[in-house]
Amino acid sequence: MSTEQATPARRVQPRPGRARRFRPGRPVGLFLVATTVLIVLSLVSIAVGSRQIPLDQVVQALLDRAGMRGTDPQVEAIVWGVRLPRTLLGLLVGMALGLSGALMQGLTRNPLADPGLLGVSAGAALGIVIAIAWFGIATLYGYIWFAFVGALVASIVVYLLGGLGRGGSTPVKVALAGVAITFLLNSVTSAVVLRDPEALNRYRFWAAGSLSGPGTETVLQLLPFLAVGIVLALATAPALNSLALGDDVAAALGRRVGLVRLQGTLAVTLLAGAAVAVAGSIVFVGLMVPHVARLITGPNHRWLLPFTMVLAPSLLLLADVIGRVIARPSEVGVGIISAFIGGPFFIALVRRRRLAEL
């Protein structure tokens, strides 16, 4: 009897080394390291281009723009007029795509959720093309509202289609619904742009995904929408921890599940719609980065979302730098590079034997 009673006890006791996955303070230290890497990549993004600028001249131009003590005027013009707006745009778009992916994965408990894969980016692009081709709107403040509507409608349709059939919503069903809706929306977008040369020119930029073109004014126009989306996303973090336990448990803990999903959907719409409006459709960033952040932080969204805000722009800036280096003096769109990086990651994720919900 004593042997039989001891056996179950050994089975249920957790291993001492795994009782607590992270030591207190470790996420803080890793967050500082990730932030440092982001700062370095930002400087590299400003330095790398058709003309190589040494890092010391980049720092000098950034710190001493007014006096230009020894700063080459041409270097200053490149840094402040071209490279810095592009890097700032990469930071904002990376944060937006990473946070929207993490929110979608948390709200749906679907590890395959991503704005580019589930049709949100395609819906935003279609909305912008319709605004340009049918309504003659050519300003960011004009067509960004169409991007929000397109992103919202696409996300709702994918969510509804993914829940049809036996067994309700599953990660693979939602992903397949997203791919189908993405192809459908892209087909409609192609039909629209073929009849409008101006819309076609803009769509060719969006289709590849790029950080080149927009200047400081565009970045400033984008900032209010992304700021609201980021605040909404971070405010949703505690509720996402409860939602991960299931809707019933979250409701028992006092969470208003419907309100949480509405708030999260609004944040995703603002973040993904604004990102697509200025940078085009960039896939896999919102899919990969939350999984990498989850390896560091675990399922706690209070840490997961801030880590995603740092890691996602790091990945996007790295992809942008690679695109500028491999095709000098021209460049490859950041959306193409991110697809090359994210494609194998997506295949490996889908081929897992047990694609469990988050």
Side-chain angles (χ1 to χ4, degrees), residues 48 315-327 331-332 337 341:
V48 174
L315 174 63
L316 196 63
L317 290 178
L318 178 61
D320 188 42
V321 169
I322 293 174
R324 280 182 271 174
V325 170
I326 64 176
E331 65 180 61
V332 179
I337 301 298
I341 298 174

Side-chain angles (χ1 to χ4, degrees), residues 14 39 58 86 113 168 193 203-204 229 264 266 287 313 320:
I39 294 174
V58 171
R86 180 170 185 159
V193 299
Y203 178 69
R204 286 187 298 182
L266 179 59
L287 173 69
D320 188 42

Side-chain angles (χ1 to χ4, degrees), residues 55-72:
L55 285 178
D56 59 336
Q57 295 187 22
V58 171
V59 175
Q60 186 177 2
L62 291 174
L63 298 179
D64 191 31
R65 183 185 184 187
M68 286 194 307
R69 294 187 295 269
T71 304
D72 186 351

Side-chain angles (χ1 to χ4, degrees), residues 162-351:
L164 296 177
R166 295 181 179 179
S169 176
T170 64
V172 175
K173 286 171 61 177
V174 174
L176 292 176
V179 172
I181 292 298
T182 297
F183 277 108
L184 175 62
L185 294 177
N186 287 339
S187 299
V188 177
T189 301
S190 300
V192 174
V193 299
L194 289 176
R195 300 176 59 89
D196 190 291
E198 182 181 356
L200 177 60
N201 290 332
R202 290 182 177 269
Y203 178 69
R204 286 187 298 182
F205 163 77
W206 286 316
S210 176
L211 299 178
S212 63
T216 306
E217 182 181 355
T218 302
V219 174
L220 294 177
Q221 290 177 348
L222 185 70
L223 193 56
F225 301 102
L226 292 182
V228 174
I230 290 172
V231 171
L232 287 175
L234 295 178
T236 312
L240 289 178
N241 290 337
S242 301
L243 203 63
L245 302 175
D247 291 357
D248 295 337
V249 176
L253 293 174
R255 301 294 183 185
R256 301 173 64 180
V257 177
L259 184 60
V260 172
R261 294 190 186 279
L262 178 61
Q263 179 177 329
T265 302
L266 179 59
V268 169
T269 301
L270 288 172
L271 294 170
V276 172
V278 295
S281 180
I282 300 175
V283 296
F284 293 123
V285 174
L287 173 69
M288 292 185 292
V289 175
H291 285 283
V292 175
R294 200 172 284 111
L295 293 176
I296 301 173
T297 67
N300 186 0
H301 286 83
R302 289 186 177 92
W303 277 108
L304 175 63
L305 296 184
F307 264 90
T308 301
M309 286 182 60
V310 176
L311 295 177
S314 298
L315 174 63
L316 196 63
L317 290 178
L318 178 61
D320 188 42
V321 169
I322 293 174
R324 280 182 271 174
V325 170
I326 64 176
R328 286 179 175 173
S330 183
E331 65 180 61
V332 179
V334 65
I336 298 175
I337 301 298
S338 65
F340 271 106
I341 298 174
F345 184 91
F346 177 72
I347 295 173
L349 192 61
V350 173
R351 287 179 59 85

